[in-house]
Amino acid sequence: MMKPFITFCLSLLALVASAQNLDRVEPPNWWVGMKTTHLQLLIHGENISQTDVTLSYPGVELESVTKVENPNYLFVDLKLASNVEPGKFNIEFKKGKKLVATYSYELWEREANSANRTGFNSSDVICLITPDRFVNGDPGNDEVPGMKEGLDRSYKWGRHGGDIRGIINSLDYLQNLGYTAVWLNPVLENDMPESSYHGYATTDFYKVDARFGSNDEYRELNEELDKRGMKLIMDMIFNHCGSEHWWMHDMPMKDWINNYPEMKITNHRRTVHEDPHASKADISALVDGWFVSAMPDLNQRNPFVARYLIQNSIWWTEYVGLEGIRQDTWPYPDKNMMSEWTKEMLEEYPNFNIVGEEWSVNPAIVSYWQKGKYNQDGYKNHAPSMMDFPLQSAVASGLKNDETWDTGLIQVYEALSNDFLYPDPFHLTIFPDNHDMSRFYVQVGEDADLLKMGVAFFLTTRGIPQIYYGTEILMRHDGSEHGDIRADFPGGWEGDKVNAFTGEGLSDAAKDMQKYVANIQNWRKSANVIHDGKLLHFIPENGTYTYFRYTDNEAVMVILNKNAEEKAIATDRFKEVTNGYTSGKEIISGKEISDISKVTVPAKSAVIVELKR
């Protein structure tokens, strides 16, 4: 078993305190039995490059020591034998014969079946949570001495106090709603002077932000999820760090950060990757520009930066026991490094899953990045999943727009007809909304019926559904800024007048939505035909859209009805799927249908019918 991280850090600090020239070794530990045999350590300490490095441990070979332009850094490359044993060994730093610093490095034993963990997939429904805005489970970490930003719940851009302990305390609620996986917006340290709550400006890649909890609590969260058969997805950012990251005050080398120190903002023109006519200048402006002024752009073409990021993702996967990674701002880092990273991750964890954010409503752009895609420029990536922004946009518009020749439900149909562009559309991550856009309830005009139809669609069509926290209680917002969208979950703070966990103060409509989501999601857990079945859909007619998920032995029929009155849908048009089926059960209402030759769909609603022979 792995040593608790806090105990490890305390012993480490006691050891290093006597050696004043050494303050960081990253990764702080590693594991035996990894397929990755090479390990590169970043060493930081005053004039540490003036020392010679030695170590002695069976199965660990000191391959090389690289000195860079900043004398306060060394990069130490180790090779680990396949049969190396768990244990400790000293890395010694000497000037001549004088020992000036020692680091006791640990190789830990891996958890059983660590390499074979199953990543999130189409059998899952993912709950997306912004940790600062969900539940304040430990008010004791709201204010942390020495950190730059404290608690200000009255300020929509401020820290509100939600934390990992609050999420742990809420797992029964999430499980009862039918979720099988949890994706948290970033939880690593963001010691920035303002607006640090969102987590996307990392200041320490190996430490959970103390206002969210500890590394131990992060691992505890996954252990509790494992007990429930649920999975954890980590939000990572390779493109940039925070401007207050510790290395920004003592840069390893000039090209560690792009456009430093003059700082140029990216052009955000992500299509330059696919554009056969794009200029090198425009490509560089995208990839090398800073996302915003507070987020320095990491140079993944620097091999030491690339190795640092790749190892960091492996470290967190192994340390916490992750089942997936969501990678932020996918097209902004160096794309060749991203290809190498996904390749190495899947070599280490063959059943793992990675989903990337390419915010484009053009499926030709999104599909460029998915594993197995043939691209004319020869580029190959290895990400199994991508966020399906094109489908999200089509559903939001299709539900809201009037039914005409080319608007309304036909927009959903035609979005799915573009699936030929993807190597594996069934592995895309689909969603009604997320933390960066208006809530779906707001997008459809705060119409609870349209929201229900959208949720039913995303939970039954192809792909891996993700739902944002609060969708189940009709969370809304007046403003359109991120601080408005990422509002506090009612009941997550002591004294809240509305409590979504107990139902106190919730409107009847919100309670009804909770039941609606829980009903479909809990049914979906065992609906293998939804997990693995094919998709067949029929062109929308008269404000209705019918599609099927089916295998050789099972079929589910879904009908969306946007009309203001109920519709009796004759099913003879669908006989290529319904042939041989005579009856069914409607999942949302629980009603039995004795004759499926005609199915009645209530006004502005969806029906989900398990067909029976």
Side-chain angles (χ1 to χ4, degrees):
M1 293 295 291
M2 294 182 288
K3 180 182 290 189
F5 189 79
I6 290 178
T7 304
F8 170 69
C9 284
L10 290 175
S11 62
L12 166 64
L13 290 172
L15 179 74
V16 173
S18 62
Q20 299 188 7
N21 290 335
L22 190 64
D23 56 30
R24 283 190 183 268
V25 176
E26 296 179 342
N29 69 279
W30 203 246
W31 289 265
V32 302
M34 305 288 282
K35 294 178 183 177
T36 303
T37 60
H38 288 83
L39 175 63
Q40 184 175 91
L41 305 180
L42 178 154
I43 314 289
H44 181 254
E46 185 179 355
N47 291 320
I48 197 66
S49 69
Q50 297 177 8
T51 66
D52 295 317
V53 181
T54 61
L55 60 87
S56 178
Y57 189 77
V60 178
E61 177 187 348
L62 178 59
E63 284 195 309
S64 64
V65 177
T66 303
K67 299 180 181 182
V68 294
E69 56 201 66
N70 186 335
N72 296 332
Y73 285 87
L74 285 176
F75 291 87
V76 176
D77 286 280
L78 307 179
K79 184 174 182 180
L80 307 181
S82 60
N83 61 348
V84 65
E85 295 289 333
K88 300 178 183 180
F89 59 92
N90 286 340
I91 303 175
E92 296 183 338
F93 302 84
K94 297 179 179 179
K95 288 184 178 179
K97 294 184 179 180
K98 183 180 179 182
L99 179 66
V100 296
T102 302
Y103 186 95
S104 179
Y105 205 81
E106 291 195 30
L107 295 175
W108 292 353
E109 185 175 358
R110 299 182 78 179
E111 297 286 349
N113 298 316
S114 173
N116 298 318
R117 63 173 57 90
T118 300
F120 68 95
N121 55 46
S122 56
S123 70
D124 292 306
V125 179
I126 303 165
C127 181
L128 167 58
I129 294 174
T130 302
D132 182 66
R133 304 299 169 87
F134 190 53
V135 179
N136 188 349
D138 180 10
N141 61 27
D142 290 351
E143 299 277 356
V144 176
M147 300 200 80
K148 297 179 178 64
E149 186 177 19
L151 188 73
D152 187 356
R153 196 180 173 199
S154 65
Y155 181 42
K156 63 184 177 183
W157 295 103
R159 298 195 75 98
H160 291 190
D163 49 33
I164 293 172
R165 181 56 55 190
I167 298 167
I168 293 173
N169 294 345
S170 307
L171 291 183
D172 286 346
Y173 174 79
L174 298 178
Q175 184 179 19
N176 290 337
L177 281 172
Y179 288 109
T180 61
V182 175
W183 156 27
L184 306 184
N185 290 145
V187 296
L188 299 188
E189 183 188 89
N190 269 235
D191 195 11
M192 301 290 286
E194 60 181 357
S195 302
S196 64
Y197 77 96
H198 53 68
Y200 286 97
T202 308
T203 57
D204 190 326
F205 280 93
Y206 281 95
K207 184 181 180 183
V208 167
D209 194 293
R211 292 159 295 188
F212 287 148
S214 66
N215 288 26
D216 273 349
E217 284 180 298
Y218 193 24
R219 188 166 62 188
E220 180 187 348
L221 169 61
N222 196 51
E223 291 170 351
E224 291 300 319
L225 286 166
D226 285 345
K227 292 176 184 177
R228 294 167 168 79
M230 300 171 71
K231 302 169 184 177
L232 181 62
I233 303 164
M234 184 174 183
D235 207 330
M236 290 186 176
I237 314 101
F238 279 7
N239 180 63
H240 52 261
C241 63
S243 57
E244 292 298 314
H245 191 285
W246 63 266
W247 60 42
M248 295 302 298
H249 305 287
D250 192 27
M251 203 76 72
M253 52 195 84
K254 292 177 182 177
D255 68 347
W256 192 263
I257 300 293
N258 289 314
N259 291 313
Y260 183 82
E262 63 269 22
M263 192 266 290
K264 296 178 182 178
I265 300 297
T266 178
N267 60 16
H268 295 287
R269 298 296 182 182
R270 302 182 306 278
T271 53
V272 295
H273 287 298
E274 297 83 10
D275 181 359
H277 317 294
S279 67
K280 291 181 180 178
D282 287 340
I283 295 172
S284 177
L286 168 75
V287 175
D288 296 347
W290 293 27
F291 199 75
V292 296
S293 59
M295 298 176 180
D297 193 73
L298 295 169
N299 177 17
Q300 298 84 21
R301 292 184 301 276
N302 180 316
F304 297 103
V305 174
R307 184 51 43 195
Y308 182 94
L309 294 172
I310 292 171
Q311 288 182 167
N312 181 256
S313 64
I314 294 174
W315 190 90
W316 280 111
T317 301
E318 196 69 25
Y319 175 79
V320 175
L322 301 174
E323 283 84 15
I325 292 171
R326 180 265 186 183
Q327 185 65 243
D328 186 58
T329 54
W330 189 278
Y332 289 82
D334 179 75
K335 69 179 186 181
N336 293 315
M337 178 269 179
M338 296 295 280
S339 177
E340 179 61 26
W341 168 62
T342 50
K343 177 175 176 288
E344 288 195 33
M345 283 298 299
L346 294 178
E347 285 175 348
E348 193 67 59
Y349 306 101
N351 303 316
F352 199 67
N353 204 355
I354 297 168
V355 57
E357 178 204 31
E358 164 54 287
W359 194 335
S360 172
V361 297
N362 183 347
I365 300 300
V366 177
S367 66
Y368 178 84
W369 303 101
Q370 193 180 26
K371 180 181 179 181
K373 176 68 172 182
Y374 169 77
N375 292 304
Q376 289 189 344
D377 64 359
Y379 179 70
K380 293 182 180 180
N381 199 24
H382 305 276
S385 184
M386 295 297 293
M387 304 298 297
D388 194 348
F389 283 93
L391 185 60
Q392 189 284 327
S393 177
V395 176
S397 298
L399 289 177
K400 187 75 183 297
N401 291 343
D402 292 337
E403 291 296 309
T404 69
W405 170 257
D406 56 1
T407 64
L409 292 172
I410 190 65
Q411 294 175 264
V412 182
Y413 176 90
E414 291 190 345
L416 288 169
S417 74
N418 286 321
D419 276 1
F420 71 92
L421 291 166
Y422 297 104
D424 186 1
F426 287 79
H427 217 65
L428 296 172
T429 300
I430 59 177
F431 53 100
D433 59 23
N434 65 21
H435 59 293
D436 284 330
M437 62 175 64
S438 292
R439 288 182 172 271
F440 196 72
Y441 184 46
V442 174
Q443 291 184 51
V444 296
E446 299 189 22
D447 185 323
D449 291 331
L450 292 181
L451 174 64
K452 286 180 177 179
M453 291 173 65
V455 168
F457 171 78
F458 282 109
L459 292 176
T460 55
T461 191
R462 58 90 176 127
I464 308 168
Q466 165 253 295
I467 308 293
Y468 196 30
Y469 80 95
T471 297
E472 78 279 10
I473 56 165
L474 307 178
M475 279 186 70
R476 58 174 304 280
H477 49 90
D478 291 320
S480 59
E481 295 180 328
H482 286 165
D484 302 309
I485 296 164
R486 305 162 184 172
D488 293 350
F489 189 68
W493 280 256
E494 186 175 352
D496 284 359
K497 293 181 180 179
V498 177
N499 191 322
F501 298 104
T502 65
E504 183 179 359
L506 274 185
S507 68
D508 290 341
K511 291 178 181 177
D512 180 61
M513 189 66 195
Q514 273 184 324
K515 293 178 182 177
Y516 188 87
V517 170
N519 185 16
I520 300 177
Q521 292 187 168
N522 279 298
W523 162 77
R524 192 186 188 281
K525 287 180 179 179
S526 58
N528 292 332
V529 67
I530 301 296
H531 307 165
D532 306 317
K534 297 178 182 179
L535 171 66
L536 184 71
H537 63 169
F538 292 80
I539 295 171
E541 290 185 348
N542 303 317
T544 66
Y545 173 41
T546 301
Y547 59 93
F548 293 82
R549 300 299 306 279
Y550 70 99
T551 66
D552 290 341
N553 303 309
E554 295 180 276
V556 169
M557 175 171 61
V558 183
I559 306 176
L560 307 183
N561 175 21
K562 273 182 63 181
N563 295 284
E565 63 279 342
E566 73 175 23
K567 288 288 183 179
I569 308 297
T571 62
D572 55 334
R573 180 181 170 217
F574 316 132
K575 61 185 178 181
E576 61 190 279
V577 185
T578 59
N579 189 34
Y581 292 100
T582 57
S583 60
K585 179 180 180 180
E586 204 286 302
I587 297 305
I588 299 171
S589 66
K591 294 180 179 178
E592 297 288 341
I593 301 175
S594 59
D595 180 4
I596 64 160
S597 63
K598 185 174 289 187
V599 176
T600 300
V601 187
K604 292 181 69 176
S605 70
V607 295
I608 303 170
V609 183
E610 285 185 323
L611 300 182
K612 300 179 182 179
R613 298 188 188 277

